[in-house]
Amino acid sequence: MGDSDLALVVLRAPEFNGGLSTFYGDLLPSRAAQIAVGHAVRNIIRARLPEYRENLVDAVAELPATERWPEAGVALVYRCTADLVLHPAAPPALRRLLARSVGGGLLIRSPLMRERLRVEMLRPTLFAALVAYIGQRRAQGIGSGEPRDLLDAVLGACPEEATDRVVAELYVLLFRSIVGNVGYAVAWTVLLAGLHSAPGAPWPWPTDWIVREAARHRPFVSMVGRPVPHPVAFGGVAFRTGAILSVSPYLLHHDERHWSRPQTFDPERWGRADTPGPYLPFSAGRSAAPVRPSPRP
């Protein structure tokens, strides 16, 4: 959907936002189950943010002098979150498989056919190891304490009837969304800020502005889908129940009717008094509402 006004109707109207989220596909049976998993994952990430910040300093220092882009951003975020994603007590072989998947193209789709083939060869091995480990964890019992890692959070929030394979699918989906999307955001933020500032000089904008503008200029989610709840004519086109209306965050962020000079990387726009246009970098939220500019610190 290329028309921003129609796209905003889809993102805001209750009729398109009351059912199951297409993010999870058919992995969870109800909206309540989707919300429970989402909240569990959000809570463990928030609780472990201080750990992430501490790890970031060491992870940056360990980066090689040259690295492939945007894989470098994803690798950096994974190094900071490896123990959050999978507890150190997990089988070493499984942790190695997960680390291989980060550099093997599971999180960022490669344009090279040989790398896509490598991912497809790795995927069955990774899922088989995950399913086996999930079965072991369930047999041992999850416990009532705080989750140790992302997998504990998913297991604790999933309906009991969810199979080990479904839990593995959910886990990988969330792992890709956390490490892949955040890593992609880091990569674009550093690249765009570096390209648009003087070499060797400190960046002239607050970090918050740079991150927001990088997310606007190159949003990390390509499409956001909403299911059609009943037969409807929308934008002059008839849709059947269950059809998916897809909104492009990129088109929303580059619509000249809502954004000034949208093709320009301009972190300063986030400090000006005028309210930015519709903003949907991670497909989060119900309304794609404008974000108010933040004051310069």
Side-chain angles (χ1 to χ4, degrees), residues 3 25 27 36 68 75 78 81 86 97 109 121 124 139 156 163 178 181 208 210 231 242 246 250-251 259 276-277:
D3 186 296
L27 293 173
R68 289 181 59 183
Y78 176 70
T81 59
L86 195 60
L97 278 171
R109 182 177 175 84
M121 293 173 64
T163 65
I178 295 165
N181 279 1
D208 176 66
I210 301 172
S246 294
Y250 181 89
L251 294 178
W259 295 90

Side-chain angles (χ1 to χ4, degrees), residues 207-217 270 279 291 294:
T207 303
D208 176 66
W209 296 4
I210 301 172
V211 174
R212 287 184 185 277
E213 181 64 358
R216 183 203 65 81
H217 198 270
W270 297 98
Y279 188 60
V291 178
S294 54

